[in-house]
Amino acid sequence: MAQLSDDCFAFGGAPMRVDEARALIAARIAPVARVERVPLVAADGRVLADDLSAPIPLPPFFNAAVDGYAVCHADLAPGGETRLPVAGRLPAGAAPGGGESGGTALRIFTGAAMPDGFDTVFMQEDTVREEGDVVLPAGLKPGANARPAGEDIEAGALALPAGHRIGPRDLALLAGLGIAEVAVRAPLTLGVFSTGDELVAPGEPLGPAALYDANRFMLMALARRAGCVVRDLGILPDRREAVSSALAAAAEEVDMLITSGGVSTGEEDHVKAAVEAAGALTFWRVGIKPGRPVALGVVEGKAFIGLPGNPAAVFVTFAVLARPLIARLAGEAWRPPTSFPVRAGFAYAKKAGRREYVRCTLAPDATGGLVARKHPREGAGVITSLTQTSGLVELPEEVTRVAQGETVAFLPYATLA
């Protein structure tokens, strides 16, 4: 069960700021507590349940970083070439033995364990082999081209923290440490509804006043990318009782519910009242554009978030608000995506107190810098404003005007979904 109490959030007169909404989610919502162990091969994309410490140092032994010749640096002639007899050959995986470090060199290969007394490796291309000797150039520092045990990570050090979402790079670290399975959070089960009598599913006949349901498919894809197991719950009609009963029934089978449409104040917007009837609506308006009406609440003890009905607003509010809610319930240590500075290729005016996200495409300018060019159609229902752009310019609450050429923060879609 989602640990979300009915009194988590309070209504206020003015819309809540984005950072306030995120802070409340982080402070008042506890993760769903299920934990399971999975083999490393199945761990990609899963959220670690506990801190994971290195059971061994990595690398576990002192070894050569290159193919070449291992020596004791103290045997090298100061300021000039050194000639040493080659006393043996040591490939990777071979036991290093005691070695003969007194005035000798060993032919060694990348990854091979360094025998006692040897501390430095000359790259083979920098040396000259003459019969049974090797001629070594001057100037190499002690310990060059050799990797000490624990250079990567010491035994007992924190390898990955609880809440970290495991990715391919992390799998390399875990495998290198010999970890065969990990404790992870069980994936959230998320139910997705669309609402509206005007909606029909793709592939069905389209009536004269009907629209194909676009939001549900976008939301299901976004939720899967966030690590959720998704249940497609279809389209709800514009009837309060039907919405309320469907939400209550679905809440028995999922960890979280998400809807699009029907959360504003119109006569045909029934989601807000339906959630109040089936549970508790504890959070409503956020100062965000596109997407001001966003409803957060509880249905049968399960977290619920209702997003606006226009596709661009759905995408933005999912990325900004639903994604951190999913992360919190999943036990993930989520951070807002990192933006980078670009120049605005447009002028723009906005209201103070509202965070706005402008759909833009990046293009290089004559100097090689990047310019964000605003999509020509700003409507929240324009789906091509998402498909024909590459990201969002984020304008904070205190900004009221952007001049062309001014530096703005850009969030690529790749960091949002």
Side-chain angles (χ1 to χ4, degrees), residues 4 233 274:
L4 176 64
L233 301 179

Side-chain angles (χ1 to χ4, degrees), residues 43 68 82 87 108 127 146 155 160 198 231 241 264 311 345 374 389:
T82 300
I108 200 166
T127 65
L160 294 172
E198 76 280 14
R231 293 192 180 178
E241 295 78 11
S264 191
K374 185 170 68 68
T389 55

Side-chain angles (χ1 to χ4, degrees), residues 3 176 388:
Q3 301 301 306
Q388 295 175 0

Side-chain angles (χ1 to χ4, degrees), residues 108-160:
I108 200 166
F109 296 87
T110 303
M114 297 279 284
D116 292 342
F118 291 83
D119 58 14
T120 303
V121 180
F122 283 82
M123 297 176 67
Q124 63 183 23
E125 55 265 39
D126 295 334
T127 65
V128 177
R129 188 71 183 263
E130 294 182 353
E131 298 182 353
D133 296 339
V134 63
V135 179
L136 309 169
L140 204 62
K141 295 180 180 180
N145 301 316
R147 298 178 290 214
E151 178 189 52
D152 196 340
I153 185 169
E154 296 281 357
L158 179 66
L160 294 172

Side-chain angles (χ1 to χ4, degrees), residues 75-102:
D75 292 335
L76 302 179
E81 291 184 343
T82 300
R83 177 187 290 268
L84 293 175
V86 179
R89 183 176 185 274
L90 194 58
E100 298 181 13
S101 59

Side-chain angles (χ1 to χ4, degrees), residues 328-385:
R328 184 61 183 155
L329 289 167
E332 180 184 359
W334 182 86
R335 295 179 182 177
T338 301
S339 62
F340 62 87
V342 299
R343 290 195 303 108
F346 57 92
Y348 195 84
K350 63 176 282 291
K351 292 182 179 180
R354 184 172 67 190
R355 187 173 301 191
E356 298 198 12
Y357 294 86
V358 184
R359 287 147 277 166
C360 292
T361 299
L362 287 187
D365 63 11
T367 67
L370 290 173
V371 177
R373 305 200 182 281
K374 185 170 68 68
H375 193 272
R377 293 179 294 280
E378 296 184 15
V382 180
I383 300 177
T384 53
S385 70

